[in-house]
Amino acid sequence: MEYALYLIAAIMMFLPSALSLNLVLGRAQLFHFGPVASSMIAAYALHIVLLSTGSFLLGILVSLFCTILLAFVFAWMSARLSDDALGVMTIAVHLIVLDIVLNSPSITGGSLGLVRFPRLPGFDDPFLFAIIATFIVGLWAGF
């Protein structure tokens, strides 16, 4: 049962990224990798703030600010690009962010990724996390 809860929790953590890529690449048919870079920036900003301050609210605000800043950079760079050039530019920005993440192991964990990620208070039980994550993803997929 423990593995099943872990599997449900892992699926529910990756499903929002999969749904956003489906929306952009599948339904809009736009070759755009901005959601991948945005997710990376938000996750690493949240992790760095959580490890340094321990405040979830501050971490969420900082990660939101970093994501908005990246969105402005995407908008500024893609203002006058054609469809193909937009795809190439978003891949380039994604690879730049990925290169920074992989070559900064003291901050980001490098190729091993994030470790010692603190849990949100009240979400220590994997069953509760799986239920809430399933509910949130179900709401998001319904819209």
Side-chain angles (χ1 to χ4, degrees), residues 29-122:
Q29 297 178 351
L30 182 65
F31 193 59
H32 180 54
F33 287 92
V36 178
S38 300
S39 297
M40 278 196 300
I41 292 288
Y44 282 106
L46 179 65
H47 183 256
I48 291 168
V49 171
L50 277 177
L51 286 183
S52 61
T53 65
S55 171
F56 277 96
L57 182 61
L58 181 63
I60 290 172
L61 290 175
V62 169
S63 65
L64 183 65
F65 174 76
C66 290
T67 306
I68 290 172
L69 187 65
L70 183 68
F72 279 128
V73 169
F74 267 128
W76 177 74
M77 290 192 307
S78 64
R80 294 178 182 89
L81 295 177
S82 66
D83 294 340
D84 295 334
L86 175 69
V88 171
M89 187 269 309
T90 59
I91 290 174
V93 171
H94 165 72
L95 290 176
I96 289 169
V97 171
L98 185 63
D99 192 43
I100 291 170
V101 166
L102 291 178
N103 292 317
S104 305
S106 62
I107 299 171
T108 63
S111 61
L112 297 177
L114 301 174
V115 294
R116 299 184 340 254
F117 205 97
R119 292 185 183 206
L120 190 62

